[in-house]
Amino acid sequence: MSTTIIRNGRIIDPTNKRDEIADLYISNGKVIGSKSEIREAFTRRDGKSEIEEIDAKGLIVAPGLIDMHVHLREPGFSHKETIESGARAAAAGGFTTIVCMPNTSPTADNPSTIAWIKDRAAEVACVNVLPAGAISKGLAGEELAPIGSLAKTGVVAITDDGHCIQNHEVMRRAVEYARMVDLPVLDHCQDYNLVGTGVAHEGYWSTLLGLPGWPAAGEEAMVMRNILLAELCDHPIHCQHLTTAGSVRLLREARQRGVKISGEVCPHHVVLTDEAIQNFDTNYKMNPPLRSQTDVDALLEGIADGTLSILCSDHAPHAGFEKEVEFDVAPFGIIGLETELALFINLLVHKHAKIDITRLIEMYTVEPARLLKLDAGTLSPGSRADVTLIDPALKWTVNVDQFQSVSRNSPFDGWKLKGRAVRTIVDGKTVWKL
Amino acid sequence: MTTRWTRKDLLGLRELSADEINFVLETADAFKQVGTREIKKVPALRGKTLVNFFVEPSTRTRTSFELAALRLSADVINISATTSSLTKGETLKDTALNLEALHADILVLRHSSAGAPQFLANQLKASVINAGDGAHEHPTQALLDLYTIRERRGKIAGLRVAIVGDILFSRVARSNIFGLLKLGAHVTLVGPSTLVPREFEKLGVEVSHQIEDVLPKADVVNLLRIQHERQRREYFPGIGEYIRLFGLTKERAKLLKPNCLIMHPGPINRGVEIDSEVADGLHSVILAQVTNGLAVRMAVLYLCGGVAT
Amino acid sequence: MKQAKQRTSDAAVPTMDAEAIRRALQRIAHEIIERNPQLTHVVLAGIPSRGVEIAQRIAAFIHQIRKINVETGVIDVAMHRDDVGTRSELPIVRESKLPLPLEERTVIVVDDVFYTGRTVRAAMDAINSFGRPARIQLAVLIDRGHRELPIRPDYVGKNLPTSGNEKVRVRLEQTDGQPDEVRLQKQ
């Protein structure tokens, strides 16, 4: 029987419209709220249990943050990351729940692999790991994966992330099928024909450097496809890692009409532009790529007006030797769990004042929980005690060598940031503190 | 005496200043003279080892670099993709580190990946000379083009230069654009709209798809080789169409000013981008480019190889 | 020729003024005429930068005296140096110009200051790549001693013993845009 009191923090709990300095009580892994519960927690103290007191003065006390776009690489690629190390990285970044993508080896397109992931996570992961299943077998975009069985095994969503179903008919049937088992569909929006061998945003810099371009239309074509299908099938489709002004515009118009379409943003797409690739540093090579300042501005507007509702990292670990190759050959992606919160706080709250910290927390809690129908993202009494303590004013310098992640592929090494998660609590227990 | 050259590598023209470019051209003057001596050899790089690492094959450029190095008394080794262990899965970085362990002083790299020379230059103490990286840059080609124009016309500034062909995929075009603009030339790009990206207009070049409009005003016409490999079919319908719209035929050559120079990086496709007769005609300085290429490369090797490490 | 007995360092008075230089070069011109009966076979090849102007001046004196036009040329030694890559500054290379063919000619290498002899060695190397002259001679305005190779000038304007931490500074009107003078400076 354990009790924790988090004292004097600024509790920001958007679900309950709470923003006040108060104490938060946790008992037996749950948030407790009524005076009687609290009294009980104190009186049941029988010498065997402890009361842990955490001083949260100057800190924000938020529901445990959720990152719904993470690559844990296990099974199959444990030289890049493991479920265990990825979970630690998540905790270090302030996240109590992560959703892992199915492009593992074997692909998470079958119940056995999902069961393996869940078992492994239960064994070694210090945060909640929720698997996403594949939409198509082998992520090949041709045949449907056994989505019903995946639902029964406990996936929280389906996605072919890393890949994108090109055949709209196949995608339509997948969305209809997912509706049956009430699973949201997440899509990595990429038209393979328009994109071709593109490795960098098709624009001024790709032209100057002679790199094959990845045109904005390549993403927008699939965003459009998803809007049409979300309407046709009356089922939510969530567009992953959106990067273009056109995508924001399409989403805004469709959402205004009530279409069940949503979108997420990763920090690198708003913190950097395609100018960053001019030295061919592969730490700036991602899919989708860094885009122009115009796109960045549109993404920021989209965050401000709620068109883009979810924040995440697309944490994509790769070993050093894999990234230390020629630019067009290097694998796409960067790690992000341990820097995303700070980057977003710096850019969105401190620098541009596009949103306030409450909305930022909402985009990391309420919004993903709602989309994925998770019992999380809130500090309501009775809810699981997943809590993130954030110091919004803490100044720190990013040092990749101190990361929990196995990999080091981050362009933010050495960046001076303000704001950081200082303690992560899962199920009432502190799993990480600064 | 002081040098205005402090770079150990030559990766491209985009990062060079106009001063630096002019300095290379002036240095090339001195080395061109060596080619007219009885003993065409100077000891400037004696004892240095130069490796021609041509992952993307080329006979002409490689021979030019090899000859330039030999005339500077350097020792030369030639490695191609097939003779290297890249085929055995060794990474580019490891191959280069191995070469450095053999005390290679200068690495001349041609590679199909843009940025590969920069990638190596960051890892190696040796000098890295870019002999062409993907569609990105081919600095020595542009330098010899600039040298040839300067030799024939006395200057670059104010001249109207037309670059014709597949600009999008051309490293020769890019390096030339950077160099010409820095030295004050007026540049017009000509070719099919699918192969001439309008993004370049942001740099200050003009774009045209009507070659007849451009030829009468041009002081220099630089023709690019039309690559008719694989994916290009999506970009333009074929050789016949290209010749009809953009080929420098005998007829079109009549539109040229009398002292207009015709240039081509080679190898030329006679009858495609240029009519056979025109290639051998009075406007053509194509062979002079080859001779100048040797002088320019000697200058580049001397300058980069001579920077104290 | 009188030897300099005194050292001047950054002094008000230069070691050689314009008149002294003029007399020295004129004397060298006479000596060259004496030792080279076939002046049409002579090439005065200056080492850039100041050697070039000195060669031209000597040629002008020879023309004054004998009314014969002796050919001049330029020998750039930078690319023949044996220390490329070891010096902090890379020497600028310039175009060399010598009248060809060199066989049967006497090439007189002309430089402003003769010190270790390595520059002249490089010049002889350069000349060899042009051809094989019948003879090579050496004319210098100043010989400052401290040779490191078995090379010595045939014609000397002035012997000026120096120490290692001194510098001989030569200024010529055409090359430097300043009045002619030779001055000794402490490093």
Side-chain angles (χ1 to χ4, degrees):
Chain A
M1 165 81 190
S2 66
T3 303
T4 305
I5 311 173
I6 303 176
R7 289 211 184 276
N8 293 317
R10 177 183 169 195
I11 298 182
I12 298 184
D13 182 12
T15 320
N16 295 308
K17 303 213 181 336
R18 244 184 123 184
D19 184 351
E20 58 179 348
I21 311 270
D23 296 340
L24 189 76
Y25 292 82
I26 295 171
S27 181
N28 275 350
K30 294 221 179 310
V31 176
I32 53 177
S34 68
K35 284 201 169 48
S36 55
E37 281 179 311
I38 293 173
R39 218 181 306 120
E40 208 187 307
F42 271 95
T43 52
R44 267 165 65 165
R45 198 158 61 98
D46 51 10
K48 291 202 208 119
S49 62
E50 300 278 319
I51 294 195
E52 184 193 14
E53 290 212 10
I54 297 174
D55 178 15
K57 184 142 179 276
L59 305 178
I60 292 172
V61 177
L65 306 180
I66 303 166
D67 185 337
M68 62 174 277
H69 195 148
V70 176
H71 293 270
L72 292 180
R73 304 295 191 207
E74 248 197 331
F77 303 108
S78 48
H79 61 286
K80 301 178 199 255
E81 193 78 278
T82 63
I83 291 174
E84 192 266 329
S85 65
R88 269 189 290 113
F95 292 89
T96 57
T97 300
I98 51 180
V99 178
C100 59
M101 297 294 112
N103 58 337
T104 47
S105 175
T107 311
D109 61 359
N110 64 87
S112 314
T113 307
I114 297 291
W116 186 90
I117 292 172
K118 289 184 70 162
D119 286 345
R120 187 81 188 132
E123 250 180 87
V124 301
C126 60
V127 303
N128 303 300
V129 174
L130 305 175
I135 304 176
S136 67
K137 284 201 186 125
L139 308 177
E142 284 160 15
E143 289 176 42
L144 297 186
I147 295 169
S149 309
L150 293 178
K152 284 199 156 57
T153 326
V155 304
V156 297
I158 53 170
T159 172
D160 268 7
D161 182 52
H163 301 263
C164 175
I165 296 181
Q166 300 295 294
N167 184 329
H168 304 322
E169 163 72 359
V170 172
M171 185 65 167
R172 177 206 177 153
R173 301 305 168 197
V175 174
E176 279 176 353
Y177 200 91
R179 185 169 194 275
M180 178 178 79
V181 292
D182 205 19
L183 276 181
V185 179
L186 319 178
D187 194 29
H188 163 120
C189 306
Q190 179 174 347
D191 183 314
Y192 292 167
N193 286 314
L194 281 174
V195 171
T197 55
V199 296
H201 171 59
E202 184 183 283
Y204 178 76
W205 283 104
S206 71
T207 304
L208 207 66
L209 298 175
L211 289 170
W214 200 127
E219 173 177 296
E220 290 151 10
M222 288 311 183
V223 170
M224 231 174 4
R225 180 276 294 276
N226 291 338
I227 290 171
L228 294 171
L229 291 185
E231 248 185 316
L232 180 64
C233 307
D234 187 28
H235 184 70
I237 301 182
H238 174 78
C239 298
Q240 298 175 295
H241 45 49
L242 290 180
T243 63
T244 83
S247 294
V248 176
R249 206 173 43 235
L250 288 166
L251 222 66
R252 183 177 288 128
E253 188 275 337
R255 282 165 72 89
Q256 268 162 12
R257 286 187 295 115
V259 178
K260 293 174 183 165
I261 192 88
S262 57
E264 68 188 30
V265 183
C266 300
H268 42 277
H269 291 123
V270 283
V271 156
L272 299 167
T273 63
D274 59 348
E275 193 176 344
I277 61 170
Q278 60 180 297
N279 289 318
F280 299 101
D281 184 340
T282 56
N283 277 327
Y284 296 97
K285 180 181 179 181
M286 315 78 169
N287 189 14
L290 301 173
R291 301 236 185 239
S292 70
Q293 188 61 48
T294 316
D295 296 302
V296 169
D297 294 338
L299 290 171
L300 292 174
E301 279 314 307
I303 292 172
D305 71 10
T307 301
L308 298 165
S309 48
I310 290 176
L311 303 174
C312 62
S313 64
D314 194 4
H315 177 88
H318 291 292
F321 72 87
E322 292 174 314
K323 278 289 221 180
E324 269 181 350
V325 292
E326 307 87 281
F327 193 87
D328 54 356
V329 165
F332 293 98
I334 56 168
I335 49 176
L337 281 167
E338 298 174 74
T339 46
E340 62 180 298
L341 180 63
L343 288 169
F344 274 131
I345 291 177
N346 269 250
L347 188 77
L348 300 174
V349 177
H350 292 321
K351 186 163 176 211
H352 288 302
K354 286 285 179 194
I355 52 175
D356 60 13
I357 193 82
T358 305
R359 176 64 188 159
L360 188 139
I361 290 169
E362 237 180 5
M363 292 176 80
Y364 264 129
T365 53
V366 175
E367 297 279 6
R370 185 186 308 143
L371 176 74
L372 301 173
K373 300 198 173 60
L374 303 178
D375 188 13
T378 149
L379 293 175
S380 305
S383 58
R384 194 175 59 226
D386 290 344
V387 186
T388 304
L389 301 189
I390 301 171
D391 184 344
L394 179 64
K395 291 196 179 145
W396 62 293
T397 304
V398 177
N399 181 354
V400 295
D401 288 324
Q402 289 176 355
F403 277 1
Q404 298 296 312
S405 169
V406 167
S407 291
R408 297 283 176 265
N409 52 319
S410 167
F412 304 116
D413 195 22
W415 281 45
K416 294 188 171 14
L417 299 173
K418 194 165 120 173
R420 195 175 185 178
V422 297
R423 186 188 280 255
T424 309
I425 296 169
V426 175
D427 260 342
K429 281 202 328 289
T430 296
V431 296
W432 183 83
K433 66 175 196 275
L434 188 57
Chain B
M1 294 194 270
T2 49
T3 182
R4 276 171 284 155
W5 187 270
T6 50
R7 297 172 184 270
K8 82 163 168 79
D9 313 299
L10 178 65
L11 303 174
L13 292 196
R14 188 165 64 91
E15 60 257 25
L16 296 189
S17 67
D19 264 352
E20 284 175 302
I21 295 176
N22 278 319
F23 187 67
V24 175
L25 300 182
E26 282 158 21
T27 306
D29 282 332
F31 284 105
K32 184 160 183 186
Q33 193 281 324
V34 174
T36 63
R37 300 184 189 181
E38 205 178 285
I39 298 181
K40 302 170 183 33
K41 206 168 172 88
V42 297
L45 291 185
R46 193 183 58 176
K48 301 265 187 183
T49 305
L50 179 139
V51 178
N52 272 326
F53 191 6
F54 277 62
V55 180
E56 212 188 59
S58 151
T59 314
R60 314 155 59 84
T61 307
R62 207 207 67 214
T63 309
S64 184
F65 269 109
E66 186 170 351
L67 208 42
L70 291 173
R71 290 202 176 165
L72 294 169
S73 302
D75 298 322
V76 180
I77 303 173
N78 292 309
I79 300 182
S80 69
T82 46
T83 59
S84 76
S85 29
L86 289 175
T87 49
K88 293 188 196 150
E90 188 180 48
T91 64
L92 184 65
K93 176 183 172 183
D94 280 331
T95 305
L97 288 176
N98 274 296
L99 291 174
E100 186 161 69
L102 295 173
H103 302 290
D105 300 293
I106 304 174
L107 192 67
V108 177
L109 179 69
R110 169 169 285 195
H111 199 287
S112 52
S113 288
Q118 169 136 18
F119 173 65
L120 287 189
N122 293 340
Q123 321 262 0
L124 303 178
K125 290 196 283 306
S127 294
V128 176
I129 311 291
N130 182 3
D133 60 334
H136 180 222
E137 289 231 41
H138 191 353
T140 56
Q141 178 67 46
L143 286 168
L144 75 90
D145 288 344
L146 291 170
Y147 186 90
T148 306
I149 297 173
R150 174 177 162 277
E151 180 185 53
R152 297 295 165 122
R153 302 301 295 267
K155 58 160 187 183
I156 310 276
L159 293 184
R160 299 189 71 91
V161 180
I163 305 179
V164 183
D166 173 359
I167 311 287
L168 181 61
F169 292 101
S170 168
R171 51 188 169 224
V172 173
R174 281 178 177 79
S175 290
N176 262 291
I177 289 169
F178 300 139
L180 287 165
L181 289 177
K182 281 199 198 224
L183 296 188
H186 180 274
V187 178
T188 306
L189 306 178
V190 185
S193 47
T194 44
L195 289 175
V196 182
R198 305 206 75 92
E199 291 288 352
F200 276 122
E201 284 173 330
K202 293 195 184 117
L203 289 177
V205 308
E206 263 179 43
V207 167
S208 165
H209 307 298
Q210 312 297 332
I211 194 171
E212 285 89 358
D213 292 345
V214 177
L215 292 179
K217 296 180 279 187
D219 297 303
V220 179
V221 177
N222 199 342
L223 302 165
L224 301 175
R225 202 173 84 83
I226 289 306
Q227 303 167 82
H228 37 102
E229 294 110 30
R230 349 118 244 174
Q231 317 108 325
R232 301 298 185 271
R233 288 297 138 71
E234 291 168 5
Y235 291 83
F236 75 96
I239 302 290
E241 171 106 340
Y242 184 83
I243 298 171
R244 211 162 295 125
L245 294 179
F246 300 102
L248 189 59
T249 58
K250 271 196 328 252
E251 289 308 304
R252 291 201 174 111
K254 294 189 185 142
L255 298 169
L256 296 170
K257 294 202 285 201
N259 59 355
C260 179
L261 304 175
I262 295 179
M263 295 175 40
H264 192 301
I268 47 184
N269 288 323
R270 285 175 187 266
V272 181
E273 59 264 3
I274 185 171
D275 249 11
S276 200
E277 258 182 54
V278 180
D280 300 327
L282 292 173
H283 294 280
S284 166
V285 293
I286 295 174
L287 291 176
Q289 285 174 272
V290 177
T291 309
N292 292 334
L294 199 40
V296 163
R297 290 180 173 119
M298 285 176 78
V300 167
L301 294 180
Y302 172 76
L303 292 173
C304 292
V307 168
T309 44
Chain C
M1 206 55 220
K2 267 197 227 167
Q3 298 257 356
K5 294 271 200 294
Q6 272 178 317
R7 269 173 194 43
T8 43
S9 49
D10 275 317
V13 179
T15 309
M16 289 178 87
D17 62 7
E19 177 57 21
I21 292 173
R22 193 197 64 77
R23 276 187 276 117
L25 294 184
Q26 190 178 43
R27 178 178 47 74
I28 290 177
H30 277 291
E31 290 175 6
I32 289 175
I33 293 168
E34 254 178 58
R35 290 170 53 178
N36 292 282
Q38 286 184 294
L39 282 174
T40 48
H41 286 198
V42 167
V43 180
L44 286 162
I47 297 179
S49 1
R50 298 188 185 90
V52 178
E53 183 175 345
I54 294 174
Q56 285 164 350
R57 290 206 205 176
I58 294 174
F61 278 122
I62 293 176
H63 185 258
Q64 238 177 50
I65 300 163
R66 272 295 171 85
K67 304 286 178 274
I68 291 178
N69 273 322
V70 173
E71 290 196 69
T72 58
V74 178
I75 309 174
D76 182 70
V77 300
M79 55 178 87
H80 289 273
R81 296 197 66 94
D82 53 9
D83 54 4
V84 170
T86 61
R87 292 162 38 126
S88 57
E89 290 164 357
L90 193 63
I92 296 181
V93 293
R94 299 204 181 84
E95 236 181 284
S96 293
K97 279 192 277 276
L98 289 177
L100 299 174
L102 289 182
E103 282 66 18
E104 293 180 30
R105 286 196 182 261
T106 298
V107 175
I108 304 183
V109 176
V110 183
D111 205 1
D112 56 347
V113 179
F114 182 78
Y115 188 14
T116 61
R118 292 184 188 274
T119 303
V120 177
R121 190 211 64 75
M124 291 200 288
D125 210 37
I127 292 168
N128 270 325
S129 67
F130 283 84
R132 199 169 175 281
R135 270 182 312 174
I136 299 179
Q137 295 174 348
L138 174 62
V140 299
L141 179 61
I142 301 286
D143 180 349
R144 65 171 288 191
H146 301 286
R147 79 178 94 275
E148 292 173 5
L149 300 173
I151 296 175
R152 57 180 0 108
D154 299 285
Y155 313 97
V156 179
K158 185 181 185 68
N159 280 301
L160 185 62
T162 59
S163 64
N165 64 358
E166 286 172 316
K167 198 164 141 63
V168 177
R169 202 188 82 152
V170 177
R171 290 289 177 266
L172 298 176
E173 233 178 81
Q174 246 179 30
T175 311
D176 301 294
Q178 290 174 38
D180 291 350
E181 71 167 23
V182 176
R183 201 182 273 279
L184 201 53
Q185 278 179 340
K186 286 234 181 317
Q187 294 274 33

